[in-house]
Amino acid sequence: MADTTTLDQASCEQMTMETLRNFPEGRNIWTCIQCGLCAGTCPYGEHMDYPPRRIIGLLREGMLDEIYKSDSMLYCVACYACKAKCPRGIDLTGILLPLMKEQVLINHPELPAELQKALENMLRYGNPMGESPRKRAAWVKTSPVPVRILSEDPTPTDVLWFVECYTSFYPRGQENCRATAKIFNRLGTDFAILGNEEKCAGECGRLSWETGLFTTLMEYNMQIFAKYKFNRIVTSCTHAYDAFRYRYPVLGFAYELEHTTPYFARHLDKLKPLMTKKLNYKVTYHDSCCLSRHNGYYDGPRTILESLPGVKLVEMTHNHVNSICCGGGGGGMWLDTYYKTKGFERLSERRIKEAIATGADVLAVSCPYEISRFEDALKVVGGDNKMIVRDVAELIAEAIE
Amino acid sequence: MKILVILRMVPDVIEELEVASDGKSLDSEFLRLIINESDNHALEQALLLKERHGGTVTALALDGPEIDDVLFTALAKGVDRAVKITGVEKGLTTRRVASVLAQSLPAVANVLPADMILTGCQAIDDLDGQVAPLLTQALKLPYLGLVTKVNVNPPAARASVVREFSGGVRGEFDVPMPVVLGIQAAEKPPRYVPVAKVRAVMKSARIEAVAAPGAPQAPAVDIVEMKKPEAAGRAKMIEGSPEDVAAKICDILAERGLL
Amino acid sequence: MAQSIWVLAEQWRGKISDATYEVLALGREIADGLGAPLEAVLLGDKVKGLAGSLGAADTVVVVDHPSLAHAGPENHGELLGRLAKQRQPLAVLVPMTNVSWDIIGSLPAQMEMPFVNFCENVEASGGKLTARCLLYGGKMQATMAPEGAAIYGIMPGARQAEKGKVEKSPAVEEPAITPVEPTVKFKNFIEPDAGEIDITQMDVLISVGRGMQNEDNMGLAEELAEALGGAVSGSRPVIDQGWLPLSRQVGKSGATVKPKLYVAAGISGAPEHVEGMKNADLIIGINTDAQAPIFNVAHYGVVEDATDVLEALTKAVRAKKG
């Protein structure tokens, strides 16, 4: 089942189709018992011609060509559900599936237009929206507390806060930024951001086909990190967390690393006396795929939420390791139109209905994609008068007066 | 088929454009250049023609910032040869670009005569001329612009080409070859090329460099002043949340009898 | 003969285009400002009868010949080059439209004159002409003052077409000059799909651009259009992507529309689009970029994500309608 991987593990980034069998994680793929738990648990498994089980079957027979010509791999949203359920602990999501996707891209590079644009924008502008990189730190002007930008003031800092794209550019994401800055400030954290020098960590490019793009972004970010002195990186984005933890080590990344939610959980004793405003919310928490299922991190956010004054926590039908992905990973963020043309139900809509069924007022999340995906889904299912979506950081900030 | 594609870089307007201290040119500190959109379509059209009819495609551009990336990307997409013309003054206006190209093409081995020369039919910085038709005049070739479809039947020496008019009306033309076509849009959107492929090409392929034979023969154009547009009437901005804005717009519409 | 200001009279499918009248209005001002005569140059096949409607000019120079049926560098451009060398115009004003596009491109070489593109205005002052040009998709304005005779590409909307329609009979000249038969041969027109909505007839257009991000969001525009009794139109990129059919395109290659309400959602407002909608009665621009040129032509502007505003507006409209 889901194991908490350690930082000593070989970087996922090191393995290629050719070198797979040189690594224990690679060799593990061949121990598949064809049980089909992966296909059964995959949120889009019913639509795939080649779920992980079949891929491994074909891999053993040396018949991968037919996968390369199919668009089945486009339905994988990199949610780690298959990896979590695999009785052999095969790293499907982190190793096998990205390699398959990469080959599919090489073999038929006709990507759905929106995904193509996102990848091109990531390469050119360092963010998938295609916004000018010089606007990445524009949100800082709206911050209620000072936020130091390292390129302007390179004094060493304790925390390098890696903000990421959706949080920096997307208006709802900027509320998360303001909340996070406020929390850091109240905790007395010594923090700074890269500002306009920051570029996407590249995880979604990586998990959706584009190793070359990922390598380019990774090389760039490592070079920027080398310019400054800091003790640890804390990031608002769960995908960036995964990229830094599992892939960047191939280029020597060895910084201490945390996502904001675990960071805040670790400082809960200092936050509790500050969180004085009674929120009076019934909250349900959506376990983010990267942070929770992939990294085994379930309790921290719940502990935070339960310490918020006036908050009652309820669980959705599918929770913890069984949580259903919002559909944003692996390129899914830019494939909604494509999935619609295929007649698939949007995963965020499937999940939001579960959330609404709990009777909660607030859906709490930890991943920047989830805010936009779930708020959108709420509108589509007509639930936007019943429920709001908030990042854990926003809730903490709201409780701090 | 032997196809030549001419690529050019234009200012990337995603970035905020600023005026330089001389008051008549673009500030280059944060200026980024991007491939001219219709040139990118011309490249795609050339590759489509190659896929259909075989032959070779050469991509050619004037040397300048960010051009290597563009030429390597073209090679990764399937172009056979990439050539850049070096020793060219920076910041040439389009008329002078056309002049340099006209002089340089004959100096590049094996690129003329081409069956088709494809390039974009317009660009956002065409202040003193459009490159394609001016180049055509210099090369004494026929030209058709605003092209959205190209049908060839090699070895026939003519092609059937669709051009846009207005109101959604298009026209079908019969053109001789060799010909210069100003592409408005390729038959398919420009393809994606994996970054890994471009990186591999950067290691394995070469961009040929050919020195421009001389200075541009066209006159320089004199910009008196450049500035951000002062709108004669700028829009009245409506502030607030989408709901606030919607309410205010409804009021405006009601006032005008539209609601 | 006196040197004059030239206006290239554009005719298409038997009619003088609106763009021609706009340029004539401008030409008249310039000619009066320089104290020079204004000449409209009309080339085509069976176009002589149209000369009478160009009364804003003092003289119409007509060359009527089958080879001139379709404007291109080989026939029109070449002929104009010869005429210009004979008659030495002080300035040549050309409408920037798809029909005249290719000639605009070749004339600078054929007339051996400098060219000034994207002109939104040209003024005569002290015997010289100064042009104001919009560059980089409308994001910058350049002022040009060429020495001597030059060709000016005039953007649609520089003047009101009505001002260029004058009830006067101009003198008509038919120079003895024979055009060259072009090697680029016109075959036939391809009409847009019939049975579709004619956006030029709609009172309300909800127009979408790249800022709508993906095809899914078309639904938001459609809902608003329906709520207001209008139709959805779009800028070129949206049509190129296949989100809307060609018949819905507004702009240079598409339709020119004059609805009572034009909502530009996620449209930057580049000149090629603006020329197709600038005369709408009420223009509301919605774009996340506060610097987007659309706000220079819109009556009201909103700096917000278009998808959010369209959604909220549909709700509000439906609520008001009850």
Side-chain angles (χ1 to χ4, degrees):
Chain A
M1 289 294 181
D3 53 347
T4 306
T5 42
T6 66
L7 282 165
D8 314 323
Q9 188 182 341
S11 163
C12 288
E13 195 59 13
Q14 287 178 289
M15 286 166 259
T16 67
M17 283 305 294
E18 293 75 36
T19 64
L20 263 185
R21 302 188 83 142
N22 300 341
F23 298 87
E25 298 78 13
R27 286 195 290 279
N28 201 20
I29 296 174
W30 271 262
T31 66
C32 167
I33 56 172
Q34 294 283 293
C35 66
L37 270 172
C38 50
T41 202
C42 171
Y44 276 149
E46 66 201 290
H47 301 296
M48 284 184 185
D49 288 331
Y50 300 101
R53 184 182 72 84
R54 283 197 79 194
I55 294 175
I56 297 177
L58 290 167
L59 172 67
R60 285 170 172 161
E61 299 301 320
M63 288 166 61
L64 291 173
D65 278 352
E66 48 179 278
I67 305 175
Y68 299 161
K69 300 201 180 88
S70 131
D71 58 2
S72 176
M73 294 311 308
L74 271 170
Y75 314 159
C76 166
V77 293
C79 73
Y80 296 95
C82 54
K83 176 189 168 171
K85 295 298 167 82
C86 175
R88 291 302 207 183
I90 298 173
D91 192 352
L92 297 163
T93 319
I95 298 173
L96 180 63
L97 297 173
L99 288 175
M100 290 296 109
K101 288 182 182 179
E102 187 186 354
Q103 293 303 313
V104 169
L105 178 64
I106 290 171
N107 280 273
H108 73 65
E110 276 187 25
L111 289 173
E114 206 186 342
L115 178 59
Q116 175 172 334
K117 196 86 200 118
L119 294 174
E120 285 168 355
N121 287 337
M122 258 194 254
L123 180 67
R124 189 170 167 83
Y125 303 109
N127 66 78
M129 302 84 150
E131 295 272 4
S132 162
R134 286 164 58 204
K135 292 191 185 149
R136 199 176 180 106
W139 70 268
V140 170
K141 296 193 204 86
T142 67
S143 167
V145 301
V147 175
R148 182 156 68 92
I149 299 177
L150 285 170
S151 56
E152 291 166 14
D153 174 5
T155 336
T157 179
D158 178 36
V159 169
L160 169 59
W161 172 25
F162 197 88
V163 186
E164 264 299 22
C165 311
Y166 269 80
T167 16
S168 300
F169 289 107
Y170 187 66
R172 272 295 280 123
Q174 290 174 352
E175 282 171 34
N176 182 342
C177 285
R178 288 189 280 272
T180 304
K182 176 175 166 184
I183 301 169
F184 280 146
N185 174 273
R186 293 287 195 280
L187 283 176
T189 306
D190 173 25
F191 73 98
I193 65 172
L194 291 172
N196 296 340
E197 284 190 302
E198 186 187 280
K199 278 194 188 180
C200 182
E203 177 66 342
C204 292
R206 182 62 181 87
L207 291 187
S208 64
W209 332 74
E210 249 293 17
T211 49
L213 169 60
F214 182 74
T215 308
T216 306
L217 289 169
M218 181 170 59
E219 285 169 357
Y220 171 83
N221 280 317
M222 286 303 287
Q223 177 221 348
I224 296 289
F225 293 152
K227 279 168 66 169
Y228 301 112
K229 287 203 158 27
F230 49 89
N231 294 331
R232 72 196 74 250
I233 293 182
V234 177
T235 177
S236 298
C237 177
T238 54
H239 292 271
Y241 174 82
D242 264 3
F244 295 147
R245 182 167 183 174
Y246 297 104
R247 301 191 184 274
Y248 277 50
V250 80
L251 285 189
F253 183 101
Y255 304 106
E256 276 202 43
L257 175 68
E258 255 177 324
H259 175 265
T260 40
T261 306
Y263 182 88
F264 297 147
R266 203 157 54 77
H267 289 84
L268 199 49
D269 286 335
K270 283 173 87 178
L271 284 173
K272 272 195 202 149
L274 301 171
M275 304 191 303
T276 51
K277 178 153 175 229
K278 224 172 164 204
L279 296 182
N280 292 328
Y281 288 145
K282 196 164 161 196
V283 177
T284 186
Y285 180 68
H286 169 82
D287 289 284
S288 97
C289 302
C290 296
L291 202 55
S292 302
R293 199 166 25 235
H294 189 202
N295 292 289
Y297 185 71
Y298 302 107
D299 298 329
R302 289 173 168 82
T303 314
I304 295 177
L305 291 169
E306 280 174 330
S307 11
L308 291 173
V311 163
K312 180 167 175 310
L313 197 59
V314 293
E315 293 288 351
M316 288 184 262
T317 310
H318 291 94
N319 57 72
H320 288 72
V321 72
N322 297 315
S323 173
I324 300 177
C325 180
C326 72
M333 196 61 183
W334 308 287
L335 287 170
D336 283 318
T337 312
Y338 177 75
Y339 293 148
K340 196 151 180 206
T341 62
K342 298 262 167 181
F344 298 172
E345 180 189 24
R346 212 177 271 194
L347 291 176
S348 48
E349 287 165 29
R350 194 191 288 182
R351 185 58 162 168
I352 208 71
K353 288 182 204 164
E354 271 199 4
I356 294 174
T358 63
D361 310 298
V362 179
L363 172 60
V365 299
S366 285
C367 169
Y369 285 166
E370 291 161 1
I371 299 269
S372 84
R373 297 188 67 76
F374 286 136
E375 287 189 340
D376 215 55
L378 271 174
K379 287 186 205 165
V380 170
V381 306
D384 47 341
N385 52 344
K386 298 194 189 107
M387 184 173 241
I388 56 175
V389 186
R390 292 288 182 267
D391 189 287
V392 169
E394 290 180 277
L395 291 169
I396 298 174
E398 196 181 335
I400 298 177
E401 267 153 331
Chain B
M1 279 197 78
K2 205 166 151 203
I3 305 177
L4 171 64
V5 180
I6 303 197
L7 303 176
R8 208 162 63 76
M9 305 293 278
V10 297
D12 187 351
V13 298
I14 293 279
E15 303 286 352
E16 220 44 73
L17 296 181
E18 303 289 344
V19 182
S21 47
D22 66 359
K24 7 172 146 172
S25 55
L26 283 183
D27 186 79
S28 58
E29 190 184 350
F30 294 113
L31 183 66
R32 286 193 65 187
L33 299 177
I34 193 168
I35 186 174
N36 178 23
E37 189 166 0
S38 49
D39 289 350
N40 202 17
H41 280 263
L43 174 61
E44 180 60 28
Q45 187 63 52
L47 292 168
L48 290 170
L49 289 170
K50 178 183 166 181
E51 281 165 8
R52 279 181 226 156
H53 308 293
T56 60
V57 177
T58 302
L60 186 143
L62 297 189
D63 196 9
E66 310 200 47
I67 197 65
D68 281 8
D69 267 350
V70 165
L71 288 172
F72 279 124
T73 302
L75 284 167
K77 285 186 178 182
V79 140
D80 300 282
R81 224 177 131 199
V83 179
K84 67 177 174 180
I85 307 296
T86 57
V88 182
E89 202 184 306
K90 267 176 72 176
L92 285 183
T93 56
T94 42
R95 188 160 188 178
R96 305 182 95 206
V97 166
S99 168
V100 171
L101 286 170
Q103 294 168 70
S104 306
L105 289 183
V108 180
N110 267 330
V111 91
L112 293 181
D115 295 311
M116 281 188 174
I117 301 179
L118 303 185
T119 188
C121 63
Q122 64 192 40
I124 55 177
D125 64 346
D126 276 343
L127 179 56
D128 65 348
Q130 297 169 12
V131 171
L134 288 175
L135 177 60
T136 312
Q137 285 300 307
L139 297 176
K140 301 197 184 3
L141 288 174
Y143 175 74
L144 190 67
L146 294 169
V147 172
T148 53
K149 210 170 151 79
V150 181
N151 271 325
V152 193
N153 249 329
R158 293 187 77 87
S160 175
V161 175
V162 174
R163 180 202 194 270
E164 283 191 342
F165 286 104
S166 57
V169 178
R170 291 167 291 159
E172 205 174 332
F173 286 79
D174 179 70
V175 305
M177 296 207 290
V179 69
V180 178
L181 296 178
I183 304 292
Q184 170 80 288
E187 288 162 43
K188 279 192 192 161
R191 65 194 59 193
Y192 187 74
V193 65
V195 175
K197 210 166 175 193
V198 179
R199 285 169 68 115
V201 157
M202 283 178 175
K203 299 200 185 97
S204 64
R206 242 185 76 245
I207 298 175
E208 294 168 45
V210 175
Q217 300 287 300
V221 76
D222 221 343
I223 300 181
V224 172
E225 180 193 46
M226 192 183 285
K227 59 182 188 198
K228 295 210 177 150
E230 359 141 305
R234 182 145 171 107
K236 254 175 98 161
M237 304 310 281
I238 306 177
E239 311 271 332
S241 69
E243 288 69 31
D244 292 337
V245 165
K248 290 180 194 164
I249 293 180
C250 275
D251 288 340
I252 296 169
L253 296 182
E255 264 172 48
R256 307 252 182 150
L258 288 162
L259 185 57
Chain C
M1 78 190 60
Q3 285 176 288
S4 52
I5 303 294
W6 277 18
V7 167
L8 280 211
E10 175 188 281
Q11 50 77 22
W12 193 54
R13 302 185 98 171
K15 282 173 59 184
I16 300 283
S17 64
D18 263 357
T20 303
Y21 291 116
E22 290 178 1
V23 181
L24 276 173
L26 178 63
R28 185 80 260 163
E29 283 177 32
I30 294 172
D32 291 347
L34 290 180
L38 180 66
E39 282 183 4
V41 183
L42 177 63
L43 308 186
D45 181 30
K46 302 185 190 50
V47 296
K48 228 167 92 166
L50 298 172
S53 68
L54 301 171
D58 300 306
T59 311
V60 180
V61 178
V62 183
V63 184
D64 197 322
H65 191 280
S67 298
L68 295 172
H70 294 275
E74 287 175 299
N75 50 359
H76 285 226
E78 191 279 335
L79 187 79
L80 289 167
R82 274 189 279 152
L83 275 178
K85 294 205 176 93
Q86 285 170 19
R87 302 164 76 105
Q88 304 278 304
L90 294 172
V92 179
L93 310 180
V94 190
M96 284 182 66
T97 62
N98 278 10
V99 172
S100 298
W101 201 255
D102 298 348
I103 333 174
I104 295 172
S106 62
L107 279 183
Q110 290 160 322
M111 290 186 174
E112 288 170 28
M113 279 162 58
F115 176 60
V116 182
N117 204 6
F118 299 122
C119 298
E120 52 172 7
N121 195 27
V122 183
E123 268 173 9
S125 165
K128 277 194 69 177
L129 292 180
T130 307
R132 202 176 66 222
C133 312
L134 269 193
L135 294 180
Y136 312 122
K139 290 208 157 185
M140 276 290 176
Q141 207 174 57
T143 306
M144 313 294 293
E147 289 294 327
I151 307 165
Y152 298 83
I154 310 298
M155 302 222 320
R159 290 293 183 275
Q160 298 281 348
E162 292 313 301
K163 298 239 167 84
K165 293 179 183 165
V166 175
E167 292 285 324
K168 244 176 63 187
S169 289
V172 177
E173 248 192 74
E174 285 192 74
I177 186 166
T178 316
V180 171
E181 177 69 31
T183 62
V184 169
K185 303 220 183 283
F186 175 80
K187 279 167 51 185
N188 52 267
F189 285 114
I190 305 171
E191 307 291 339
D193 284 319
E196 242 280 290
I197 291 181
D198 183 354
I199 52 174
T200 61
Q201 303 301 312
M202 301 301 293
D203 278 343
V204 173
L205 285 176
I206 310 302
S207 206
V208 296
R210 256 193 270 239
M212 292 295 283
Q213 282 158 47
N214 63 53
E215 196 171 355
D216 250 1
N217 292 329
M218 292 297 103
L220 295 169
E222 273 155 32
E223 286 188 30
L224 182 57
E226 195 200 6
L228 286 170
V232 175
S233 58
S235 61
R236 136 149 263 123
V238 153
I239 274 78
D240 273 352
Q241 300 258 54
W243 301 350
L244 287 174
L246 205 50
S247 53
R248 303 294 184 109
Q249 187 172 332
V250 172
K252 184 161 79 63
S253 301
T256 299
V257 298
K258 214 185 147 331
K260 296 200 174 121
L261 170 65
Y262 190 88
V263 176
I267 293 178
S268 70
E272 301 83 58
H273 182 76
V274 166
E275 77 175 70
M277 42 64 70
K278 62 192 176 336
N279 289 323
D281 292 342
L282 175 60
I283 302 170
I284 302 181
I286 311 169
N287 197 299
T288 49
D289 178 7
Q291 307 295 327
I294 192 72
F295 296 128
N296 297 335
V297 75
H299 300 97
Y300 290 94
V302 182
V303 180
E304 276 282 357
D305 193 299
T307 56
D308 291 333
V309 178
L310 289 185
E311 199 156 17
L313 190 50
T314 307
K315 249 192 190 151
V317 165
R318 286 195 177 135
K320 228 175 170 147
K321 280 194 151 168

